[in-house]
Amino acid sequence: MNKLDSRTLVGVMYTYWPSAFDDLDKQGMWDRGVVSVSKLGKVAEELGIDFCLEVVNRFETTVLNTSEEGVQFCKDVGRGSVKLILDTFHMNIEEDNTPDTIRTAGDLLGHLHVGEGNRKLPGHGSLPWHKIGKALRDIGFDKGVVMEPFVKMGGKVGEDIKVWRDLSDGADEAKMDKNIAESLVFLKNAFEG
């Protein structure tokens, strides 16, 4: 990453993913994760890399399911390089209020994944995108935002995240490109206010 001048590493790197749920010792997993992430976070810190831990829903892990848990985990790790990645899909499942969740993360928010609560493109569902944009502006967020829709079945990731049907409404490649372009415009407007 340092040779490529890539400054942000994101993912579920505090435990294994996807969880098999055969180890429900959350505190033990938490404690082991804090030790490991602290060591990795030290290296990231030395290289000027943000080490962003993804908060995911209860169906994918038992460790970090809410922004509040993520903030506490980062505090337990105690490294400035260790931050959070929030994902609107996961927030839609676990949190009571998506904009407030972003405010809870505050300056620990190092990256954001966006997609609707049904895994579709932003603007193709019911999430409060203008309120999400307001929350991002409230905390002065200026980091990376990546669209992460999953609308087609197949492959290992499709199996892991349980995409069992075509969510693209039968879109061909040209229609998918058009939908993405429209979603980008929609998201930019929502985030800029």
Side-chain angles (χ1 to χ4, degrees), residues 1 8-17 29 32-38 40-41 44 49-56 61 63-64 73 81-85:
M1 289 184 68
T8 307
L9 179 64
V10 303
V12 180
M13 299 173 289
Y14 47 88
T15 191
Y16 52 96
W17 181 92
M29 293 168 73
R32 289 186 297 277
V34 165
V35 170
S36 297
V37 170
S38 180
L40 295 169
I49 294 171
D50 284 342
F51 191 76
C52 299
L53 308 175
E54 187 167 8
V55 177
V56 298
T61 185
V63 184
L64 299 183
F73 192 91
S81 61
V82 177
K83 301 185 182 313
L84 296 177
I85 169 176

Side-chain angles (χ1 to χ4, degrees), residues 135-143:
L136 292 169
R137 291 189 305 278
D138 288 350
I139 67 168
F141 183 76
D142 64 353
K143 305 289 184 179

